[in-house]
Amino acid sequence: MTVFTNGFSTLQIPEDFEPVPGKNEFTELYLVNTKIPMSIKFSTTPTLAGLPEIRADIEKNAAINDKIELINSDFIAINDDIYYMVVSSFSDGENELRRNEFLYVKDDNLYFFEFTYPYADRELDDFYLNIIRSLKISGPKYIVENGEYKINNNE
């Protein structure tokens, strides 16, 4: 079993997935599996918003974007924590992709999982949940104070 850690968060990397460079400073881990094909993104960002506010923003943005179909938007329990789950599909005109997102807020840090794959009917609940359940948080990566954030140096 391969494990990812950044000093603040640890999680299991599923078999046959390869890391590729992230696209922004908050992307902790970006994995692809060309055999399925599927991508997994794990991010940590500073936030002062709670899950209800995040849900409202996501639903509002999905409503005004005609390329995104919101399939499911709800709070779910994973382990002993409450996550916000969003299932959507979007099309670029040629390809339709399914995206399952799971968001969790703790200590002013938003932990975000995004699973993207090209079939709308594939059942992968256990696959997602096993990765999310493997998340161990040893401390917040970001400290948010006075409208600014900094890396937590007290690991």
Side-chain angles (χ1 to χ4, degrees), residues 75-130:
F75 297 105
I76 63 167
I78 301 176
N79 295 337
D80 293 330
D81 302 311
I82 299 298
Y83 279 74
Y84 169 52
M85 177 186 74
V86 183
V87 179
S88 60
S89 66
F90 57 97
S91 175
D92 63 7
E94 291 181 26
N95 301 307
E96 185 172 326
L97 296 173
R98 173 89 169 240
R99 182 171 52 204
N100 292 28
E101 301 166 293
F102 298 84
L103 299 90
Y104 172 64
V105 174
K106 181 178 180 180
D107 297 328
D108 298 330
N109 283 241
L110 171 64
Y111 300 90
F112 175 77
F113 291 89
E114 176 184 284
F115 303 88
T116 306
Y117 55 97
Y119 351 102
D121 59 349
R122 182 151 176 160
E123 289 299 324
L124 295 167
D125 292 346
D126 286 338
F127 178 79
Y128 306 138
L129 293 176
N130 287 338

Side-chain angles (χ1 to χ4, degrees), residues 51-69:
L51 289 180
E53 294 89 354
I54 292 168
R55 177 183 186 173
D57 283 347
I58 288 174
E59 289 178 352
K60 178 180 151 192
N61 289 334
I64 60 175
N65 188 334
D66 61 351
K67 292 184 179 183
I68 296 176
E69 177 190 352

